[in-house]
Amino acid sequence: MTDELRPGRAEMTRLTTTLRISGEPASVVSMQAGHQRQAIWRGSDPSGSGDPRLQVDFSSGSALLYADRLQRRQVGERLGNTVRLWSQEYRIHRRWFWPKLLFTVTSGERTVLRVRERSRGDGGARVFDTRSDAALDPVVALALLLLEGRPHKMGLGRDDSTLS
């Protein structure tokens, strides 16, 4: 892992979430994939990339993370403030939750992600400033943001009616 955190930006609505990281040409995209589920793809065109790399499932009592949409192979879960994803463990440290979300994520003793909600736009959109370790997979960064930002709890905004 590096000493510097790279800046990025995420925009979340109830139906879609996009994370873009400075200096990288491709974005990581999350789209609603069934009731209380968010599927995450790498790249800006999820329709052409096949199965999602990761699916965050909020429909059970705790958030579960799956790879391979059809086989539903569980690769992680959230238990309280601890997220286990693949072979790594992350701790979410919430500093503030209302009215704006502010949290950091650590792996061991190292901070790997900082997230600050910058604004709430019209139509249910939420915008976040992110700073993530360059060694942190952007798919993992977006999954951690989704787990704490909880887009499945967001109500439909005025602009969402055109997306469904």
Side-chain angles (χ1 to χ4, degrees):
M1 298 203 182
T2 65
D3 291 335
E4 295 294 323
L5 296 181
R6 57 188 174 168
R9 185 175 182 187
E11 184 169 338
M12 182 183 297
T13 67
R14 184 178 180 276
L15 299 177
T16 63
T17 310
T18 302
L19 175 68
R20 287 185 177 81
I21 297 174
S22 297
E24 291 192 4
S27 63
V28 179
V29 179
S30 168
M31 298 184 68
Q32 201 75 12
H35 181 64
Q36 294 190 336
R37 289 175 177 85
Q38 290 274 335
I40 304 171
W41 289 267
R42 185 185 290 276
S44 58
D45 183 12
S47 62
S49 62
D51 286 340
R53 285 249 343 248
L54 188 65
Q55 186 173 52
V56 183
D57 186 349
F58 300 99
S59 61
S60 67
S62 61
L64 302 175
L65 299 113
Y66 295 96
D68 305 322
R69 179 174 35 189
L70 298 177
Q71 296 175 357
R72 288 185 59 85
R73 180 173 54 96
Q74 185 174 342
V75 294
E77 62 183 337
R78 178 179 181 167
L79 299 169
N81 289 333
T82 301
V83 177
R84 292 187 185 99
L85 183 54
W86 283 291
S87 60
Q88 190 66 46
E89 189 169 284
Y90 302 95
R91 295 270 304 161
I92 296 174
H93 307 272
R94 184 184 303 154
R95 294 186 185 161
W96 195 253
F97 191 69
W98 187 259
K100 293 185 185 290
L101 187 62
L102 177 66
F103 69 95
T104 59
V105 177
T106 57
S107 178
E109 298 294 316
R110 184 159 185 76
T111 298
V112 294
L113 179 65
R114 290 189 185 114
V115 176
R116 179 177 63 88
E117 188 170 356
R118 184 163 40 87
S119 65
R120 288 184 193 266
D122 292 336
R126 297 167 70 184
V127 178
F128 302 88
D129 288 328
T130 64
R131 293 193 169 268
S132 63
D133 191 293
L136 185 65
D137 186 334
V139 171
V140 173
L142 182 52
L144 293 166
L145 177 62
L146 290 170
L147 287 172
E148 192 66 4
R150 301 180 197 168
H152 66 293
K153 297 276 190 189
M154 295 171 62
L156 280 170
R158 291 185 300 272
D159 296 336
D160 287 339
S161 60
T162 61
L163 297 174
S164 55

